[in-house]
Amino acid sequence: MTGCATRPAAPPASGDRDGPQANPPGELLKVPDAVPRLESIRVGGPNKPYEVLGERYRPLTGDDPYADRGLASWYGRKFHGRPTASGEVYNMYAMTAAHPTLPIPSYARVRNPANGREIIVRINDRGPFHKGRIIDLSYTAALKLDLLRGVAPVEVRRITYAEIRAGNWPKPASEPAPTFTPDAATGAPQRETTATVAAVTPLPAPSLPPAPVAASTLGNGIWLQFGAFAKLDGAEALRQRIAEADLSLLPLLTIVREAGLHRLRAGPFPDADEARATAARLRSDSGLEATLVEKR
């Protein structure tokens, strides 16, 4: 199963509702907020323009400020353990969120104006695709804002690189301590997307890796090839190594069956320059070698 980086998932069928797990872990109010750090924003992949339900979305790809007000929803057990648009695994108990256009990855401060509570989340998924909603929070993020009872207004502001470098993003020291508990919250809004990361609690076993595909099924374009193996195990081991080196590449990695070999490729890239830049970065950072392949 692959992530939804290149094509966000459609909303679930009518009546297919999401919600909390039967026995959520305790101490969720003590889960720390996401800690903003400088992460490169890659052009393409989960940041490519896309269309859902007839609406076109063009994600931000630069270090641009962003602020908006609108409705927040949350998503839980239905997507727990499944890949997000970034390729990361969604953990409903981590401090993450889905947004239609904020860069993946990036960080945002979310405020509940009804009670003044604020949190910081890491954006690693796309959604929600419902008119009026601007962000889809993880279960724990919604819990800490006291938003588990349903869709509610929030204020969202992206934390820029400049703010991260200057350390201007910490939450105010005067933030009131929450007094509510998970058991007091009931109800769950409809879920419109898949979604997110970290390991506060154990996740379900991951899905099996995607099966190899025939070379004839690949789209035309620029690809990077990392290796060719007689046995599938070799290609899968290299795929895991590359994903560990750069998680943003996971949705782009494909094992291709061609001429009796299993070839590990990533792509397609928007152009050869970006493919070469990616190859150079992997070589410099992780010692991984790749060759450019153009499929016509």
Side-chain angles (χ1 to χ4, degrees):
M1 183 175 181
T2 60
C4 51
T6 56
R7 184 175 180 180
S14 176
D16 187 7
R17 300 185 67 82
D18 195 4
Q21 292 183 322
N23 297 296
E27 306 293 318
L28 288 179
L29 292 175
K30 296 181 180 179
V31 172
D33 284 4
V35 178
R37 59 190 179 94
L38 298 175
E39 297 185 72
S40 60
I41 300 170
R42 182 171 53 85
V43 177
N47 293 315
K48 291 195 299 188
Y50 63 95
E51 181 174 334
V52 174
L53 300 177
E55 293 288 333
R56 292 283 299 172
Y57 299 89
R58 184 174 293 277
L60 301 174
T61 56
D63 185 29
D64 301 313
Y66 168 96
D68 198 7
R69 296 178 180 178
L71 298 176
S73 49
W74 63 275
Y75 54 125
R77 67 172 184 268
K78 182 177 174 61
F79 299 91
H80 188 61
R82 291 176 55 181
T84 68
S86 68
E88 298 166 356
V89 174
Y90 176 53
N91 180 358
M92 63 189 285
Y93 302 123
M95 292 297 289
T96 58
H99 191 279
T101 57
L102 281 177
I104 290 179
S106 61
Y107 296 84
R109 184 192 300 271
V110 185
R111 180 176 183 270
N112 180 355
N115 56 26
R117 292 173 184 151
E118 295 183 356
I119 58 171
I120 293 174
V121 293
R122 184 171 183 271
I123 306 296
N124 69 347
D125 203 9
R126 291 292 173 224
F129 306 115
H130 193 288
K131 193 172 183 64
R133 300 187 194 179
I134 62 171
I135 196 167
D136 218 359
L137 301 167
S138 69
Y139 177 87
T140 298
L143 169 69
K144 292 178 73 173
L145 287 178
D146 194 15
L147 294 179
L148 286 179
R149 285 181 286 273
V151 177
V154 295
E155 300 166 357
V156 177
R157 187 175 68 81
R158 180 172 178 260
I159 299 171
T160 65
Y161 285 170
E163 291 172 315
I164 294 174
R165 291 189 185 99
N168 292 337
W169 50 263
K171 292 195 298 180
S174 59
E175 178 187 357
T179 56
F180 50 93
T181 63
D183 295 337
T186 59
Q190 187 75 23
R191 168 67 180 147
E192 279 84 25
T193 182
T194 63
T196 329
V197 49
V200 176
T201 57
L203 290 174
S207 303
L208 293 175
V213 301
S216 60
T217 65
L218 288 185
N220 294 337
I222 306 296
W223 297 73
L224 287 177
Q225 180 165 304
F226 294 95
F229 301 83
K231 294 185 177 181
L232 178 59
D233 288 351
E236 289 181 341
L238 182 56
R239 173 164 53 189
Q240 179 63 30
R241 182 184 169 194
I242 293 170
E244 290 173 354
D246 187 345
L247 197 58
S248 68
L249 282 178
L250 182 59
L252 304 181
L253 292 171
T254 303
I255 296 175
V256 182
R257 294 192 309 272
E258 186 177 51
L261 295 174
H262 298 89
R263 305 174 188 271
L264 180 63
R265 292 178 181 170
F269 289 86
D271 52 55
D273 287 342
E274 183 178 331
R276 291 191 186 98
T278 299
R281 175 168 49 80
L282 288 172
R283 184 184 308 113
S284 173
D285 294 348
S286 307
L288 294 163
E289 296 290 340
T291 57
L292 201 67
V293 176
E294 183 171 4
K295 187 174 184 298
R296 298 182 182 274

